[in-house]
Amino acid sequence: SGTGVGFACKHAVLTFNFQQSAAMSTLLINEPKYAWLKELGLSEDNDGVYNGTWGGKGEVITSYCPANNEPIARVRQATMAEYEETVQKCREAWKVWADIPAPKRGEIVRQIGDALRKKIKVLGSLVSLEMGKIYVEGVGEVQEYVDVCDYAVGLSRMIGGPVLPSERPGHALIEMWNPVGLVGIITAFNFPVAVYGWNNAIALICGNVCLWKGAPTTPLTSVAVTKIVAEVLEQNNLPGAICSMTCGGADIGTAMSKDERVDLVSFTGSTHVGKMVAMTVQERFGRNLLELGGNNAIIGKDDADLSLVVPSAVFASVGTAGQRCTTTRRLMLHESVHDVVVERVAKAYKQVRIGDPWDPSTLYGPLHTQQAVDQYLAAINQAKQQGGTVVCGGKVMDRPGNYVEPTIITGLPHDAPIVHTETFVPILYVLKFKTEEEAFAWNNEVKQGLSSSIFTKDMGRVFRWLGPKGSDCGIVNVNIPTSGAEIGGAFGGEKHTGGGRESGSDSWKQYMRRSTCTINYSKDLPLAQGIKFE
């Protein structure tokens, strides 16, 4: 998970004021090379509010490309009055949407998936341009939304509760599941399409309406996705407010958290901001779904297949330039394989192709903001002060954009403060362990509990790892990396990761409320537990 609701907005606003005069003349959207942006319905100035009609009377922010820090285009954010109007329209739209049978709602979600398929390459290119991840990952992210739509279509015919045996004659005991109502979705910069997609597709088939506040540094992606979804709703003569959007910063995020009309707040971002969201929502006894930070570890045992360990460690630590919530930040290696694995991983790091994220041959792009570059440098300094050795990388690259070298640091104690800190950059801390117990304890000693993976051929160890004394994470893998989860399972983590679950398995239950219903179809009135009240 990425930035919180607050900082990125302030960053964008500061940058906007500072570069205002330059931005007016040379937006990337006006260059022939980027003419494809117009296929997504984008222009120089874009409305940042959708609730059946488009608007945006708030602050104008400029979106910048992390690969060259050039301005792409501008978005007009929501005012608080527009937020208020949007919530009211959402609630009205729910009255229509909740009456539509779930399989028919599934048909609308199927059409959303198809509309995304038609724009997958151009939308993937926008993710690459605005977020900074490589093109194949940008397209992969849209594919994830498409996949979740497909999954949700099937789910729309399957959600429901059991019929339970009643202890009373002539009685039926059933479980009913109903939508919570309005789902507020706050997403982070690092997955500006997929995280909304997971929430949106599942929430819709459950009978909810959605209000989306994307990251303040990826507003063009929010606008482009919303245009695709809105068109499907409009073609089906449904209220556009079923999938509303308000672009904005911490003010909108805070309003959603405090608003009793927002039945569920699904927040993806930093643990720091997530904690504030959770406390605000809890104060009004609302419901929250949190997807927060991760400090994920790969464990390489002495019997590990090193031809799997090395590429897994490289992909999971370098992929998305270290900006996934599931990125591997700690590589724990058994003392017998430590040196050879470090050597091979460092060699692979030096061969990673760095370049413009939209170039198909690039494997590694820029960090999302200049602030992330500063955090990278600060973390490396702290790691050195705490006894670490930089084996590979460690420097900001001399080229336009927010590029840093992917970095490997060895020699730190497992409990060094920097090792226990999630820094959202491509730094891998390599730790040396002796025993299985030690490795499991180190995996679990950090505050977060998102993803984890062990590489071993020992079946006993595999099941100990999956068991009650094994990994305490929400994602517990064997012989694959910590990142790159598929949509069929429930995605999320424990402890400071927030406890939320999205996407597959029974995650749909987070978007619905359960009623236990007892129906008496007899002429008698027997009480439960055999109580006589006569």
Side-chain angles (χ1 to χ4, degrees), residues 289-528:
L289 194 174
L290 302 173
E291 296 280 359
L292 311 176
N295 192 342
N296 315 298
I298 284 179
I299 296 173
K301 283 296 293 179
D302 46 350
D303 67 335
D305 181 342
L306 300 190
S307 68
L308 293 178
V309 175
V310 173
S312 294
V314 174
F315 168 71
S317 55
V318 170
T320 327
Q323 298 170 108
R324 290 188 185 215
C325 39
T326 51
T327 292
T328 297
R329 312 213 174 271
R330 300 176 297 149
L331 176 58
M332 303 178 190
L333 298 169
H334 187 267
E335 56 188 359
S336 64
V337 296
H338 177 278
D339 293 359
V340 64
V341 172
V342 169
E343 188 185 329
R344 283 167 65 174
V345 172
K347 188 179 172 190
Y349 262 50
K350 290 176 179 126
Q351 291 164 347
V352 170
R353 292 186 302 280
I354 299 169
D356 286 332
W358 49 84
D359 179 336
S361 66
T362 299
L363 288 179
Y364 176 92
L367 290 175
H368 186 57
T369 59
Q370 187 56 48
Q371 182 211 12
V373 177
D374 297 340
Q375 289 171 345
Y376 165 87
L377 289 171
I380 288 169
N381 280 334
Q382 287 175 49
K384 286 176 180 170
Q385 285 164 12
Q386 290 166 28
T389 304
V390 176
V391 173
C392 179
K395 293 189 284 297
V396 175
M397 296 176 69
D398 184 18
R399 57 176 292 159
N402 310 318
Y403 285 86
V404 299
E405 294 175 347
T407 300
I408 300 169
I409 296 178
T410 59
L412 282 163
H414 65 94
D415 55 357
I418 193 64
V419 173
H420 278 220
T421 305
E422 181 197 24
T423 313
F424 222 64
V425 298
I427 300 175
L428 180 65
Y429 303 112
V430 186
L431 312 172
K432 190 189 289 190
F433 71 86
K434 288 184 166 64
T435 67
E436 176 185 306
E437 293 73 23
E438 202 170 41
F440 286 14
W442 295 1
N443 178 75
N444 294 351
E445 72 185 4
V446 295
K447 295 278 192 205
Q448 302 89 343
L450 180 51
S451 188
S452 55
S453 186
I454 195 167
F455 285 75
T456 181
K457 299 190 190 89
D458 180 332
M459 287 309 289
R461 182 175 293 127
V462 166
F463 281 93
R464 288 192 292 277
W465 172 242
L466 302 180
K469 295 178 181 174
S471 170
D472 64 0
C473 294
I475 297 169
V476 183
N477 291 339
V478 179
N479 295 333
I480 66 160
T482 56
S483 61
E486 50 187 271
I487 63 119
F491 181 91
E494 301 300 326
K495 304 188 301 191
H496 285 221
T497 302
R501 292 296 185 278
E502 289 173 349
S503 197
S505 183
D506 66 350
S507 300
W508 60 270
K509 290 180 176 177
Q510 304 227 8
Y511 303 88
M512 301 195 85
R513 56 179 181 81
R514 177 199 330 232
S515 306
T516 302
C517 313
T518 311
I519 300 152
N520 178 4
Y521 56 88
S522 76
K523 292 193 169 73
D524 298 318
L525 194 65
L527 301 178

Side-chain angles (χ1 to χ4, degrees), residues 90 120 167 202 242 288 291 333 422 430 522:
C90 270
I120 192 163
E167 66 182 60
I202 305 290
I242 290 167
N288 59 51
E291 296 280 359
L333 298 169
E422 181 197 24
V430 186
S522 76

Side-chain angles (χ1 to χ4, degrees), residues 6-21 23 59-64 77 216-217 370-371 374:
F7 176 80
C9 175
K10 291 179 202 139
H11 165 79
V13 173
L14 290 172
T15 321
F16 173 69
N17 295 336
F18 179 65
Q19 294 181 302
Q20 204 163 12
S21 53
E59 189 150 23
V60 177
I61 55 164
T62 303
S63 179
Y64 290 87
Q77 294 185 327
T217 51
Q370 187 56 48
Q371 182 211 12
D374 297 340

